[in-house]
Amino acid sequence: MRALVGRLATLPACREIRLSYHPDNAPAARLYAEFGFGPAGDFEDEEVVAALAV
């Protein structure tokens, strides 16, 4: 995850990284929060969308 975020952050057009996870998946929510992702206020199908500004 660290390598992927680092790589995406080097791309000139990348200003935000978004991902989604099922709201019942607490381990995923904790993992993404540890990397700085926060709720974007959106849902994709039934999943919470989280975003990280880069």
Side-chain angles (χ1 to χ4, degrees):
M1 180 64 109
R2 188 177 336 261
L4 179 59
V5 169
R7 172 69 177 112
L8 290 173
T10 67
L11 300 174
C14 183
R15 295 192 175 116
E16 182 178 62
I17 302 169
R18 295 181 135 221
L19 52 80
S20 65
Y21 59 90
H22 193 278
D24 292 338
N25 191 344
R30 280 192 303 274
L31 173 70
Y32 300 140
E34 288 176 10
F35 282 93
F37 286 86
D42 300 323
F43 284 87
E44 180 69 32
D45 296 322
E46 297 177 2
E47 296 189 340
V48 175
V49 175
L52 172 67
V54 294

